[in-house]
Amino acid sequence: MRWPLLTVVCLSLLAGCSGITGFGATGAPETTPAPVPAATEQTTTPSAPPGLDDSGLDGVSVLSNSHERALENRSYTFIERYTMTTIRDTGRLRVSRNETTYVEDGRNYRHDLERRRLLPNRTVERYEQSMYGDGGTWYERRDDGTVTYYRGDLRFYRDEFAGEAAFYVDQYVSATRSWTRRVRRNGSLYYRVTGVGGTPPGISQAESYRFSLLVAPDGLVRELRVRYTTTVGSQRETVGYQFWYEDVGSTTAPAPSWLDEARHQARNRSTGSGT
């Protein structure tokens, strides 16, 4: 089970182009053309993506739906980071989760998960899992090194992880006050949305709740970052979650290091462990 858990003013210079062409009839007196007026520069401000306006959020569900539509039929790399630090009478516990998903298309993809628990006695517990699909077989490698594989024309909905990101947007983009500004990143226009005073899912109150979004003009949420603290009795928890997208439209799913051996084992078996 997986764990839960913009903005530079763009100036468009539209130069009006006008000219005067004289058509003289034979024998008509010559006239001097009137001066051509200088082209007038107009500055336009692009509209914010659906779910946003210049003052901040204008509909979280509208924004999450726009995000899913923006990733339709596009490859991408989806990266997640989650941390939770709990301070209690018995000491400090820190949990972290790192996930990276490469979505090449609906047949070729890879997902890597690493989870760590740093216990109060400084002991570290670690868990890893990886999945890889090549269109004909889906391999799942568990933490103990065993690999389960499934054969057949395996497909999943291409926007599966886009839907996951949309879920986190719906859950975490909460604020009593938000604002939007235009920024540029690598020369491209984005919308940076910041919100404060919200509440996390399932919790009625949180301290220092703050989120930040980086949204592309087409509605793609390129980044989400959220951080908050809660206190229940003597227990205090600080949670941080973020995701971001890379290589949108140019992602390929790299083969994991263990794949050759897994394929070798699969060829030596008459049937897989599932279909």
Side-chain angles (χ1 to χ4, degrees), residues 224-268:
L224 164 65
R225 300 174 187 268
V226 62
R227 186 175 180 85
Y228 61 89
T229 299
T230 60
T231 301
V232 179
S234 61
Q235 179 171 298
R236 184 177 178 86
E237 288 186 348
T238 299
V239 174
Y241 174 77
Q242 59 182 302
F243 72 66
W244 67 93
Y245 285 85
E246 295 180 354
D247 300 326
V248 176
S250 60
T251 288
T252 57
S257 59
W258 48 263
L259 182 61
D260 286 344
E261 177 60 25
R263 283 172 168 166
H264 175 72
Q265 294 178 8
R267 284 194 296 267
N268 290 336

Side-chain angles (χ1 to χ4, degrees), residues 20 25 54 70 80 86 88 114 161 170 183 254-255 257 266:
I20 297 177
D54 290 336
E80 295 178 84
T86 303
R88 53 179 68 144
E114 178 191 51
F161 296 99
D170 284 329
V183 300
S257 59

Side-chain angles (χ1 to χ4, degrees), residues 105-222:
D105 53 36
R107 295 165 52 88
N108 297 271
Y109 58 95
R110 173 180 169 178
H111 174 251
D112 297 322
L113 164 69
E114 178 191 51
R115 189 165 65 234
R116 292 188 179 190
R117 286 166 50 91
L118 177 60
L119 304 179
N121 63 3
R122 312 304 295 177
T123 301
V124 177
E125 297 177 348
R126 182 176 176 180
Y127 176 85
E128 290 184 338
Q129 180 177 311
S130 184
M131 292 179 288
Y132 180 80
D134 62 6
T137 309
W138 174 35
Y139 303 87
E140 180 177 4
R141 186 180 190 273
R142 292 185 293 274
D143 188 63
D144 60 3
T146 60
V147 177
T148 302
Y149 65 94
Y150 305 85
R151 286 177 173 162
D153 186 16
L154 302 175
R155 300 182 65 87
F156 74 103
Y157 288 110
R158 186 184 194 122
D159 64 351
E160 174 180 337
F161 296 99
E164 180 178 355
F167 169 81
Y168 288 129
V169 170
D170 284 329
Q171 293 292 303
Y172 285 115
V173 177
S174 171
T176 56
R177 184 167 65 93
S178 63
W179 55 95
T180 301
R181 59 188 177 92
R182 291 173 173 82
V183 300
R184 285 195 177 275
R185 177 173 292 188
N186 298 325
S188 297
L189 172 68
Y190 289 94
Y191 297 80
R192 172 68 70 185
V193 185
T194 304
V196 296
T199 55
I203 299 176
S204 60
Q205 188 174 4
E207 307 165 32
S208 305
Y209 193 97
R210 184 181 182 92
F211 75 83
S212 175
L213 297 169
L214 186 69
V215 185
D218 63 358
L220 170 62
V221 180
R222 294 297 298 252

